[in-house]
Amino acid sequence: MTFSRQTHNQLLQGRDDLISGFAQRRGFNGAGVAYRVRDGETTDEPVVVVFVTKKRPPGLLLEEDLLPRQVNVGGVNHGVDVFEAGPFVLGGTTTFDPTVEATLTKKYRPLRQGGQISNIGMQGYGTLGAIVRDLTDNSPSILSNNHVLVLNNSSTSVGQAITQPYTGSPADTVARVTRFVPYTFGVTRPNLTDAALAKLTDDQAKEITDAVAEDLMAPYSVDHPCVGLFFAADPTNFYGVSAKIDNTLEALGADLLTPEAIYVPGPPDLGAPVEKVGARTGYASSRIHAINMKFPVFLEINGGSRIGWFTDLVGTTRFGWPGDSGSTVRLGGDGETRLPIDLGLSKCEATSAVASMYDLPLENDIPLADRIRDQFMAASTTGSFLTQLFYLNNSVILDRTQGVEASDSEKAGAASMYDKYRDFIDSALAAPDRPGLVVTRENIDDAALGLASLQTRMTTEETDATNEIFTSLVRQTEGMNHQQLVAFMNRTDVFDKVWDTTAAVPTIRALGSLYPAHRPR
């Protein structure tokens, strides 16, 4: 499949228009060009693909956060596909699933692509992408990422030792940093790559090869061309991103040992299989999902976080983990040897913020939260409305929790509640109508304690409203079983009380992009 240059240019304009309108919205993680994916299958419709942290039904979004179904460029409508991926961060460390050991830790002499490398002053490692030639002096050099070879995006890294493998021992020095492409910041100054060069030591330069570690993949060639340099992924490593190899080499002033093996991916390559060998995970093969991606990346520099925008990138699913950063990507493979990913990890920003604030292990409880929403809350009008309130006020929750640390007593109280109720809720959802399962006085008193803790970060109006709902409604539920509780939450007077009380609070957003069908106003 492919599409015309005119269509491609219109999709690029549509991408930029969407970024211009939504770049500052929480949960918006950039856009690119792709084919629409429907029910897990790729169609033949070229679209602007938008990346969001979490896909939500329209009724759970504020109207200003609702993405358009189409973009109009030059009088032509093009579809918009929403894809759950991001936010994107640079890899290169072993923080993701540290129980999984690096695959390629062997010492390779001569050096081989895919081997483990590290700046001697860095805690963490990346991947040797390729041996290339520095066009300034024709010297053989290591190609990898800026964040793998360079400390803090700083020129002070020039001359620093690169070891293979990651040992921290000067005896394993194989190269020294020559130069790198410094990051730029802000949406108007996007980066094309994350790349650096390190000149081989005299000993290592005596014998060079384009072979791959453990021969897990054939060397690049005209028939097996190089298309990119892997450098970033989202928090679950479900979606990975590579910089185009032509942009990368041009920015560095370098070339492959076989220049004819450089390939520039475009519309005809959407869906094409690609492969790579990384130090953390070894071999993987996926398919190109998106091209011309443009998105923000969170860069940790000197202990702080800055946002750098990247553009003209290639997106793939389940292709790399931290430690694979710097891998060169080739056309080829079966496209189906994807990496295992724990999709149970949190992709809800509010949940992640609360987990960090209270030191709670909520990252793996997203499936449980979804069951609460879908099995219990969705069974009643009041429950559905409370779910909507949570999503519509997500920004308020984040503003009050991100970067905030609870007190030791608050953390202890939250941990106590979590330990007491996490498994209880799981079992209650599994068998909600079992005999003897009712709301007890102890449950209500515990809820009151939890509410009191939350109210320390509420406004006066919010505190008064939650106290009113708790006193007039929640306390009535003592002794109710599952069916009685759902019936109670479906009562019109209960819904009206919750609606009117919350809608009167100026800091609470009660209406989304669609008004609830049961309460039009």
Side-chain angles (χ1 to χ4, degrees):
M1 294 186 295
T2 190
F3 42 86
S4 69
R5 179 177 296 182
Q6 181 181 22
T7 295
H8 190 192
N9 289 336
Q10 290 172 343
L11 291 171
L12 291 176
Q13 183 60 55
R15 176 203 65 180
D16 291 344
D17 291 346
L18 284 172
I19 289 173
S20 177
F22 290 88
Q24 303 304 316
R25 298 291 181 189
R26 289 188 190 272
F28 179 86
N29 301 320
V33 173
Y35 285 108
R36 184 184 297 279
V37 176
R38 181 177 286 115
D39 298 327
E41 298 295 327
T42 302
T43 71
D44 61 358
E45 179 191 357
V47 294
V48 177
V49 60
V50 174
F51 301 97
V52 299
T53 303
K54 193 77 173 178
K55 289 182 70 171
R56 310 274 188 208
L60 300 181
L61 294 171
L62 295 172
E63 191 164 1
E64 57 264 34
D65 292 333
L66 192 62
L67 288 160
R69 294 182 182 274
Q70 295 179 323
V71 289
N72 185 283
V73 179
V76 179
N77 288 325
H78 294 282
V80 174
D81 196 18
V82 181
F83 198 87
E84 191 172 296
F88 298 100
V89 295
L90 301 183
T93 66
T94 57
T95 54
F96 176 75
D97 199 359
T99 59
V100 178
E101 296 295 332
T103 301
L104 301 174
T105 59
K106 180 179 174 181
K107 180 183 290 188
Y108 294 101
R109 303 292 185 272
L111 297 170
R112 285 187 168 222
Q113 299 171 35
Q116 184 189 56
I117 57 173
S118 177
N119 183 303
I120 199 167
M122 187 180 295
Q123 295 298 313
Y125 64 87
T127 296
L128 192 162
I131 303 299
V132 299
R133 291 202 178 277
D134 184 338
L135 295 179
T136 65
D137 60 6
N138 208 38
S139 61
S141 303
I142 288 174
L143 168 66
S144 192
N145 294 145
N146 174 330
H147 76 265
V148 170
L149 299 181
V150 178
L151 294 173
N152 292 315
N153 195 41
S154 172
S155 60
T156 59
S157 289
V158 173
Q160 290 178 338
I162 303 302
T163 65
Q164 198 290 310
Y166 168 45
T167 62
S169 171
D172 290 321
T173 297
V174 296
R176 292 188 178 275
V177 178
T178 308
R179 61 181 177 277
F180 60 96
V181 182
Y183 301 128
T184 56
F185 304 97
V187 68
T188 60
R189 300 178 64 208
N191 302 269
L192 286 172
T193 190
D194 174 5
L197 287 181
K199 182 178 180 179
L200 297 188
T201 62
D202 291 341
D203 285 344
Q204 298 306 316
K206 291 176 181 177
E207 184 179 1
I208 59 175
T209 178
D210 59 4
V212 177
E214 306 303 312
D215 297 316
L216 293 173
M217 183 171 66
Y220 52 72
S221 65
V222 174
D223 296 325
H224 188 225
C226 186
V227 298
L229 190 70
F230 182 82
F231 77 98
D234 64 9
T236 66
N237 296 285
F238 170 73
Y239 203 91
V241 186
S242 301
K244 288 163 59 176
I245 194 66
D246 60 320
N247 289 336
T248 298
L249 293 172
E250 181 178 353
L252 285 170
D255 211 345
L256 297 182
L257 298 180
T258 307
E260 298 81 6
I262 296 172
Y263 184 86
V264 181
D269 303 300
L270 285 168
V274 288
E275 56 185 354
K276 70 104 185 77
V277 171
R280 183 74 183 282
T281 61
Y283 180 81
S285 180
S286 184
R287 293 182 181 275
I288 295 177
H289 165 256
I291 58 174
N292 305 121
M293 290 176 63
K294 185 175 184 179
F295 56 76
V297 171
F298 292 90
L299 306 171
E300 296 295 330
I301 296 176
N302 289 320
S305 182
R306 298 188 68 180
I307 296 177
W309 279 78
F310 286 74
T311 192
D312 202 18
L313 307 167
V314 178
T316 50
T317 58
R318 296 172 55 185
F319 195 49
W321 286 9
D324 293 331
S325 290
S327 306
T328 46
V329 180
R330 325 288 174 78
L331 278 183
D334 61 9
E336 304 301 329
T337 310
R338 295 183 172 95
L339 297 174
I341 297 297
D342 184 2
L343 292 179
L345 289 173
S346 172
K347 290 200 72 175
C348 173
E349 288 183 287
T351 300
S352 297
V354 172
S356 176
M357 178 178 175
Y358 289 101
D359 285 344
L360 293 175
L362 302 180
E363 287 80 3
N364 293 314
D365 285 335
I366 296 298
L368 178 60
D370 289 345
R371 289 171 59 204
I372 295 171
R373 179 195 65 205
D374 298 337
Q375 293 179 222
F376 177 65
M377 302 296 281
S380 67
T381 53
T382 300
S384 296
F385 176 61
L386 291 173
T387 297
Q388 186 185 54
L389 280 184
F390 173 81
Y391 290 123
L392 296 183
N393 292 277
N394 201 49
S395 293
V396 175
I397 296 170
L398 288 170
D399 288 340
R400 299 182 189 181
T401 56
Q402 276 188 327
V404 177
E405 184 172 3
S407 66
D408 290 342
S409 61
E410 287 176 320
K411 290 180 180 179
S416 177
M417 289 289 191
Y418 180 85
D419 292 341
K420 182 175 182 178
Y421 283 104
R422 196 273 174 205
D423 291 341
F424 171 79
I425 292 172
D426 191 13
S427 64
L429 290 170
D433 296 316
R434 71 173 185 263
L437 182 61
V438 298
V439 179
T440 67
R441 172 63 63 85
E442 182 181 8
N443 299 151
I444 293 175
D445 289 345
D446 285 344
L449 287 173
L451 178 61
S453 177
L454 295 174
Q455 286 175 337
T456 61
R457 291 175 172 81
M458 292 184 185
T459 66
T460 300
E461 293 89 346
E462 291 166 355
T463 298
D464 290 343
T466 51
N467 281 337
E468 174 64 22
I469 291 171
F470 193 89
T471 301
S472 62
L473 297 179
V474 176
R475 290 200 177 278
Q476 290 188 49
T477 65
E478 182 179 349
M480 291 185 184
N481 62 26
H482 170 246
Q483 294 186 18
Q484 292 168 331
L485 189 58
V486 170
F488 178 77
M489 294 174 69
N490 267 318
R491 280 170 37 183
T492 301
D493 61 320
V494 172
F495 176 84
D496 286 346
K497 179 67 175 178
V498 174
W499 177 288
D500 292 335
T501 303
T502 55
V505 179
T507 52
I508 295 179
R509 299 292 295 269
L511 294 176
S513 59
L514 299 177
Y515 294 155
H518 46 266
R519 184 62 180 267
R521 287 194 172 186

